Amino acid sequence: CEITPSSSAEIDHFHPKSRYRQEAYEWDNLRLCSSNINKRKRDNDVLDPFDVRDFTFGIMLATGRVIKLTKYDSAYEALCDKTVKVLGLNEHAYTKMRNDMLDEYLRGEISMSNLQKRNPFVYSEVQRLHVRQVATAAPLTIERLREEI
């Protein structure tokens, strides 16, 4: 998951120890995530990041908000909605982080490979939408991107 500057990385038991004691020490049940996300998840059932189907989520680049890209069965859709809500993925800290990362890339301050390492979600959206750095007198920024939409 995305780690904001105000959080740190920690290990999460994807299936909560309180309900799945038998999985407490299973490697397949451990996920690296941000401390903020882990605190929000608690005992809630959310979408396992290893089980996210292709083209489930995207980013509205002008706002940084997580959006659903594809229609799936109602149970999966409900779990997607719950995941975004419970984990607070569209709260300001996360949308700002995505916008800042995109701005750094658009201004040429970070390379595509660095973007991939620092925020794979933003990287995948840049790739999917064919967003490119543009060398112009006025650098392409989130504000200019919003104007063009």
Side-chain angles (χ1 to χ4, degrees):
C1 68
E2 298 173 306
I3 299 175
T4 64
S6 65
S7 71
S8 58
E10 62 186 36
I11 302 297
D12 170 47
H13 291 84
F14 182 74
H15 295 122
K17 295 178 288 189
S18 61
R19 293 190 330 211
Y20 301 89
R21 293 188 193 283
Q22 72 280 7
E23 294 184 31
Y25 298 102
E26 295 293 327
W27 285 109
D28 290 346
N29 188 40
L30 303 177
R31 308 287 183 271
L32 179 66
C33 75
S34 94
S35 57
N36 293 341
I37 293 290
N38 198 18
K39 287 175 190 156
R40 288 174 171 274
K41 181 183 153 288
R42 300 173 67 187
D43 286 350
N44 287 294
D45 290 322
V46 295
L47 190 59
D48 186 337
F50 291 146
D51 293 336
V52 175
R53 299 174 190 167
D54 289 342
F55 304 108
T56 296
F57 295 113
I59 300 171
M60 177 73 67
L61 292 182
T63 64
R65 293 182 60 83
V66 173
I67 56 173
K68 287 187 296 186
L69 296 177
T70 307
K71 292 282 186 190
Y72 288 104
D73 60 89
S74 59
Y76 186 77
E77 290 259 334
L79 189 56
C80 290
D81 291 339
K82 182 179 178 184
T83 298
V84 171
K85 183 175 181 176
V86 166
L87 301 182
L89 298 180
N90 282 330
E91 290 185 0
H92 179 72
Y94 293 101
T95 60
K96 181 178 181 335
M97 177 190 57
R98 292 181 201 116
N99 282 342
D100 290 349
M101 192 69 53
L102 181 61
D103 267 345
E104 287 180 38
Y105 169 72
L106 293 173
R107 289 191 305 261
E109 295 172 9
I110 59 173
S111 66
M112 188 64 112
S113 62
N114 197 348
L115 179 62
Q116 183 179 19
K117 291 174 191 168
R118 290 179 57 191
N119 194 311
F121 189 26
V122 172
Y123 166 82
S124 68
E125 284 300 276
V126 165
Q127 289 289 96
R128 184 179 69 82
L129 297 170
H130 307 290
V131 175
R132 298 286 178 247
Q133 293 172 329
V134 179
T136 63
L140 186 58
T141 62
I142 291 292
E143 287 75 28
R144 283 195 50 221
L145 188 62
R146 285 184 185 133
E147 291 169 6
E148 293 179 16
I149 293 178

